[in-house]
Amino acid sequence: MSRLDVTEKIISTKVSKGLSWADVAKKVGQSKEWTTALCLGQMTATPAQAKALGKLFGLSVEEQKWLMVVPYKGSLPTTVPTDPLIYRFYELVNVYGTTFKELIHEEFGDGIMSAIDFKMDMQRQADPNGDRVNIVMSGKFLPYKQY
């Protein structure tokens, strides 16, 4: 058994039960964005969160323990993503990455945006020309230190 096996069981059970990630998040007590990342193997559950997911997805005690193991971050099977939706984010970084960097450095100074002290919100935004995907990312600014 591996973390990947548990992830596959979660996805399979989610589909068979007709659950949304928002439904799952309510049981876990976290945002749908963080909970989805947890269920896909990118975050670490607390014992209470693992138990809630265990109950929802019919996970054994052993499977619940896998949810509490610190994962290897990064879930893409290839360096350049081949899934069209994920590729668009890769494309965004390729096209706008230097712009993000320049504007963040101009506003905050030399440093990085944390992906650890981080929040994300994804919402559907109605638009007469076709609904839009609205993603807000908020990461703590971490300045480089002099030593």
Side-chain angles (χ1 to χ4, degrees):
M1 167 152 320
S2 70
R3 181 60 178 92
L4 182 57
D5 295 327
V6 177
T7 296
E8 289 175 357
K9 182 174 181 178
I10 287 172
I11 293 169
S12 176
T13 306
K14 177 188 170 288
V15 170
S16 69
K17 288 187 168 188
L19 297 169
S20 70
W21 288 117
D23 297 331
V24 177
K26 286 177 188 168
K27 299 288 186 185
V28 173
Q30 296 294 327
S31 72
K32 70 180 182 296
E33 294 81 9
W34 187 88
T35 301
T36 303
L38 168 65
C39 291
L40 296 179
Q42 295 300 301
M43 298 295 168
T44 307
T46 65
Q49 292 164 340
K51 187 174 182 178
L53 289 171
K55 183 176 179 183
L56 182 63
F57 294 117
L59 303 177
S60 69
V61 172
E62 181 184 354
E63 289 168 326
Q64 291 176 42
K65 286 180 181 178
W66 277 106
L67 297 173
M68 295 182 280
V69 173
V70 177
Y72 181 83
K73 306 281 188 188
S75 59
L76 300 178
T78 59
T79 304
V80 177
T82 56
D83 178 275
L85 179 67
I86 296 172
Y87 180 81
R88 290 300 162 261
F89 287 97
Y90 176 79
E91 183 179 43
L92 279 168
V93 171
N94 274 315
V95 173
Y96 294 105
T98 53
T99 301
F100 293 150
K101 177 180 171 51
E102 183 66 24
L103 293 173
I104 288 169
H105 286 173
E106 182 177 88
E107 181 71 25
F108 293 94
D110 191 14
I112 61 169
M113 182 181 87
S114 176
I116 295 171
D117 190 342
F118 180 83
K119 294 179 185 176
M120 176 176 54
D121 182 56
M122 194 282 306
Q123 299 291 326
R124 181 183 203 131
Q125 182 180 330
D127 188 289
N129 295 319
D131 288 357
R132 302 180 68 81
V133 178
N134 185 336
I135 299 173
V136 176
M137 298 184 293
S138 174
K140 180 179 179 181
F141 179 74
L142 302 172
Y144 285 105
K145 298 188 184 237
Q146 295 183 3
Y147 55 94

